[in-house]
Amino acid sequence: MRQSAKLRETAETKISVKLNIDGNGNYKINTGIKFFDHMLEQLAHHACFDLEIDVTSHDKDNHHVVEDVAITLGQALAEALGDKKGITRYGEKILPMDEALILSVVDISGRIFSKVDVSVKDEKTSDFETVILPHFFSSFAQASLMTIHIKMLDGFDTHHIIEGVFKSFARALKIAVSYDETQKGKIPSTKGIL
């Protein structure tokens, strides 16, 4: 089983993450941000990851919570993937969420890049500040050594757009971490390293 447990504690937060890539989509998540919990539940469910996240916020700043969860989760994913032998590496998904249409493409490349091309009109949805959305994926990309492209193709409802982003990303990630049966034991790169 590809799994990892990570603990990150700073002056701002204490984050505990338990991740099983080869799970069933079970989750237990408590970040203190209701909407963010919901999005992480979508990520776990649609990627079929077993995921536990528990957060203590020392400074009560949601920005630090979202950033530190992204870092810790990204580190857990990188550790759980190990040497990455036999994985598909690339994944993509175009996903509808009512009127919203989101494209997510990922490359577990060892190279860090994140672009989130999403336009939302609201500063908040529920208790989640929308300006933090690109920062979550940027921090996740840095910690997991991954390339992430997310593009909004259509949509106007902020909740639907952000939920579509997390679901689409989860489905793309599920593909990328899956094993390619034709590449057993091989690094999916002509360089021989990811």
Side-chain angles (χ1 to χ4, degrees):
M1 287 249 180
R2 296 176 295 171
Q3 49 194 344
S4 175
K6 302 297 283 184
L7 180 65
R8 173 184 169 88
E9 186 161 15
T10 69
E12 299 160 348
T13 63
K14 181 179 180 182
I15 313 287
S16 169
V17 171
K18 292 180 182 176
L19 172 67
N20 178 1
I21 295 174
D22 302 311
N24 297 302
N26 299 316
Y27 52 80
K28 183 179 178 184
I29 297 170
N30 175 31
T31 68
I33 308 169
K34 185 173 67 172
F35 185 81
F36 189 41
D37 287 354
H38 182 44
M39 294 304 100
L40 293 169
E41 290 165 0
Q42 297 302 320
L43 175 58
H45 178 79
H46 287 276
C48 288
F49 294 169
D50 290 345
L51 180 60
E52 291 183 24
I53 299 176
D54 189 63
V55 174
T56 301
S57 176
H58 301 314
D59 65 2
K60 309 304 179 193
D61 187 327
N62 286 357
H63 180 96
H64 294 147
V65 169
V66 172
E67 177 182 46
D68 288 352
V69 166
I71 291 168
T72 314
L73 181 57
Q75 290 171 340
L77 179 67
E79 183 173 279
L81 283 170
D83 62 14
K84 304 174 191 170
K85 286 183 179 177
I87 66 167
T88 301
R89 177 180 165 177
Y90 298 99
E92 73 286 326
K93 186 66 176 180
I94 298 175
L95 185 137
M97 177 71 189
D98 297 347
E99 89 297 338
L101 188 63
I102 309 295
L103 164 68
S104 293
V105 183
V106 301
D107 177 10
I108 302 173
S109 59
R111 294 187 304 277
I112 300 162
F113 183 79
S114 175
K115 182 174 183 182
V116 178
D117 185 4
V118 171
S119 176
V120 293
K121 64 184 185 309
D122 299 314
E123 292 183 6
K124 288 183 84 173
T125 182
S126 183
D127 57 347
F128 183 81
E129 298 169 46
T130 59
V131 71
I132 305 174
L133 181 68
H135 191 56
F136 172 84
F137 288 100
S138 175
S139 297
F140 186 89
Q142 289 177 37
S144 63
L145 306 176
M146 180 183 298
T147 297
I148 300 170
H149 288 268
I150 298 172
K151 186 172 184 66
M152 184 179 100
L153 303 177
D154 205 352
F156 58 81
D157 183 285
T158 299
H159 185 126
H160 294 165
I161 291 165
I162 295 175
E163 187 164 344
V165 164
F166 275 87
K167 288 179 175 178
S168 175
F169 175 71
R171 293 280 174 154
L173 192 55
K174 178 182 178 181
I175 295 165
V177 303
S178 68
Y179 284 117
D180 180 344
E181 291 301 316
T182 68
Q183 300 297 312
K184 286 184 180 178
K186 295 180 184 176
I187 296 287
S189 170
T190 55
K191 294 178 182 178
I193 187 172
L194 284 179

